[in-house]
Amino acid sequence: RSLLAITGGDDQRLSALLFPLHTARGQPFLAAPAAPAVAFVHLAHGACITALAVHEVCWDRFVVFSSGSDQRLRAWLLLLSDAPAPEQTNAMQLCDDGDTVTNEHVIGCDGGDIVSGGSHARPSCGKWQAIGSWFLDISDVQSMSILSYSVLHHGSESEAQQGTASRFSIAVAGQGCQTLEVCVRLEYK
């Protein structure tokens, strides 16, 4: 069991942090110090990221919508990998340098190992893929919500989770409000 946190901010970076959870007496808790596994997109936007919305497709696959001061709505597919158990922190794999997707987004580490505490590198918790980008009519987006989600069926439900297109209705608010209907393919390449 893990806790997933997805963040964005002034550094234009979209980050996923996967914290291992422990269980004691049936109650989950974060062990201290819990070094999270990480995956991030460096320069996910042309300006600071101001709003995020997340949809869980299945236990290891998430669609993340982000927006920022660049007046763009971007869609990302986050595919989680197996995070190491908390007891395996000395045998962590390093995140991958140099993986790229469209629009010159660099995924992985910033020019080297990501250090947590001492000299141990944090493990990678997954991979990001850009799956859509749309221009917004409003500026200064501060809030975003997924209003609806539907799978555009071309086969079975399991096939839909493996790559069929999905339709999202997204509301953004800032200096005005806007609703968008967007279609994305949930296939990791």
Side-chain angles (χ1 to χ4, degrees), residues 57-146:
V57 177
C58 59
W59 70 273
D60 67 344
R61 191 172 300 201
F62 297 83
V63 175
V64 178
F65 290 93
S66 61
S67 185
S69 299
D70 59 357
Q71 288 188 258
R72 288 278 187 198
L73 173 68
R74 294 190 190 267
W76 307 89
L77 181 62
L78 172 61
L79 183 63
L80 296 180
S81 59
D82 294 333
E87 297 78 31
Q88 299 172 337
T89 53
N90 290 333
M92 296 181 193
Q93 65 186 36
L94 299 179
C95 35
D96 229 355
D97 250 333
D99 289 343
T100 58
V101 293
T102 59
N103 297 330
E104 304 297 322
H105 300 296
V106 178
I107 299 177
C109 297
D110 255 348
D113 303 341
I114 297 176
V115 177
S116 66
S119 60
H120 301 295
R122 290 183 186 169
S124 172
C125 71
K127 293 189 177 187
W128 290 96
Q129 179 177 323
I131 57 174
S133 180
W134 302 269
F135 184 75
L136 296 173
D137 294 332
I138 64 170
S139 62
D140 197 24
V141 173
Q142 298 297 312
S143 181
M144 180 185 318
S145 182
I146 299 172

Side-chain angles (χ1 to χ4, degrees), residues 7-77:
T7 66
D10 289 347
D11 61 358
Q12 304 166 7
R13 182 181 296 187
L14 186 59
S15 300
L17 300 110
L18 194 62
F19 293 90
L21 291 178
H22 300 276
T23 305
R25 298 183 197 135
Q27 298 295 318
F29 68 95
L30 285 172
V38 297
F40 62 86
V41 181
H42 182 66
L43 298 177
H45 279 268
C48 64
I49 298 171
T50 57
L52 296 172
V54 180
H55 175 77
E56 181 180 12
V57 177
C58 59
W59 70 273
D60 67 344
R61 191 172 300 201
F62 297 83
V63 175
V64 178
F65 290 93
S66 61
S67 185
S69 299
D70 59 357
Q71 288 188 258
R72 288 278 187 198
L73 173 68
R74 294 190 190 267
W76 307 89
L77 181 62

